[in-house]
Amino acid sequence: MSQHRHPGAPGRAGAVPALPDLPEATVARLPEYLRALHNLAESGDETISSEGLASAAGVNSAKLRKDLSHLGSYGTRGVGYDVALLIDQIEFVLGLTQRRAVALVGVGNLGHALAGYDGFASRGFRIAALLDADPSRVGEEINGLVVRHVDELPRIAAAESIAIGVIATPAGAAQAVADQLVEVGVTSILNFAPCVLSVPEGVDVRKVDLAIELQILSFHEHRKASLTALPATGGSALTALPGGLADTDTQEATGT
């Protein structure tokens, strides 16, 4: 992700200089820091130590300091980070100095919930359009916006300067919607449909699959249950995978 600040861009002392590419892991953590910083600002805190901010964001302080060093922000020894300044820096890096217009395609159960979420506005985004292919949905009003037919996407994208597309359709319709979004110039897509999208180079896709997240949690539950079932003597309790071998001696005999 290449981002550059225009030379002489307005800002407070210590403003972010022109930025090199940031590691993807750092980019993924910046919103967590920003959320924690906004909570601190709302509580009246003007400064925060790296340890305090790391704890609020759920990361270790060494990782946080390294991430913020990419922004040119190192804090002040004995004082910590200026909360307001750091908010400015992170919001600039994330491109949140302007409210980005979002088109949400698919207003079924999930899409309806997303359309009614008030938190987008406080995070720098404006739901500018709701679209669906189902005629029974068209004309419905959700959170002050009227659902339009997806065929109106080209006109709406131009009129509203749509920057980001959100897909909340069934999997079977998602690729066609992605193609439509790309065709009207949208190059950033958030995909809630349980499928992998094929997009041209230069189009960024973030995938949110709630079932996958639950499956990962299921693994951790399974693992914790397996650990509590280990013999008290500390002996091996190798569990066979389906189609695999459970006996350690047998595995050694076969050279595995």
Side-chain angles (χ1 to χ4, degrees):
M1 182 187 72
S2 298
Q3 301 192 40
H4 301 282
R5 185 162 197 162
H6 189 280
R12 302 160 58 142
V16 183
L19 292 176
D21 287 347
L22 299 180
E24 284 298 322
T26 295
V27 175
R29 287 188 290 267
L30 289 180
E32 294 294 340
Y33 303 153
L34 186 59
R35 174 192 55 78
L37 287 162
H38 275 299
N39 289 339
L40 290 164
E42 289 170 6
S43 299
D45 294 291
E46 296 183 355
T47 60
I48 184 67
S49 67
S50 59
E51 290 78 10
L53 181 54
S55 177
V59 303
N60 68 63
S61 57
K63 185 175 293 184
L64 177 137
R65 285 192 294 269
K66 183 175 181 180
D67 286 341
L68 297 185
S69 71
H70 290 297
L71 279 61
S73 186
Y74 299 92
T76 303
R77 184 178 297 275
V79 176
Y81 293 95
D82 180 312
V83 170
L85 174 59
L86 198 49
I87 287 174
D88 287 347
Q89 291 176 321
I90 294 176
E91 286 187 343
F92 173 77
V93 171
L94 293 178
L96 300 178
T97 53
Q98 57 179 303
R99 293 182 68 191
R100 297 191 181 277
V102 176
L104 171 61
V105 185
V107 290
N109 292 335
L110 176 58
H112 201 286
L114 291 170
Y117 177 55
D118 292 328
F120 291 123
S122 63
R123 301 294 182 93
F125 302 95
R126 176 176 64 91
I127 301 296
L130 304 176
L131 303 111
D132 204 289
D134 184 349
S136 67
R137 296 280 187 185
V138 175
E140 181 181 354
E141 185 173 321
I142 306 173
N143 210 20
L145 277 177
V146 175
V147 178
R148 304 297 183 187
H149 195 278
V150 70
D151 288 346
E152 294 187 52
L153 178 59
R155 178 186 63 78
I156 293 172
E160 298 290 345
S161 300
I162 299 298
I164 297 172
V166 177
I167 298 176
T169 66
Q175 183 61 57
V177 170
D179 293 342
Q180 288 176 286
L181 288 168
V182 171
E183 188 174 345
V184 300
V186 173
T187 57
S188 293
I189 297 172
L190 180 62
N191 179 32
F192 283 91
C195 63
V196 176
L197 299 177
S198 176
V199 296
E201 185 177 352
V203 176
D204 293 303
V205 176
R206 296 285 296 181
K207 187 172 184 295
V208 180
D209 191 320
L210 301 180
I212 286 177
E213 298 303 322
L214 287 172
Q215 288 170 338
I216 293 170
L217 288 174
S218 176
F219 161 78
H220 290 294
E221 284 298 307
H222 190 188
R223 181 174 179 274
K224 286 182 282 189
S226 298
L227 291 174
T228 57
L230 286 174
T233 57
S236 173
L238 180 65
T239 301
L241 292 172
L245 297 172
D247 186 82
T248 305
D249 293 336
T250 303
Q251 291 189 35
E252 291 175 351
T254 58
T256 58

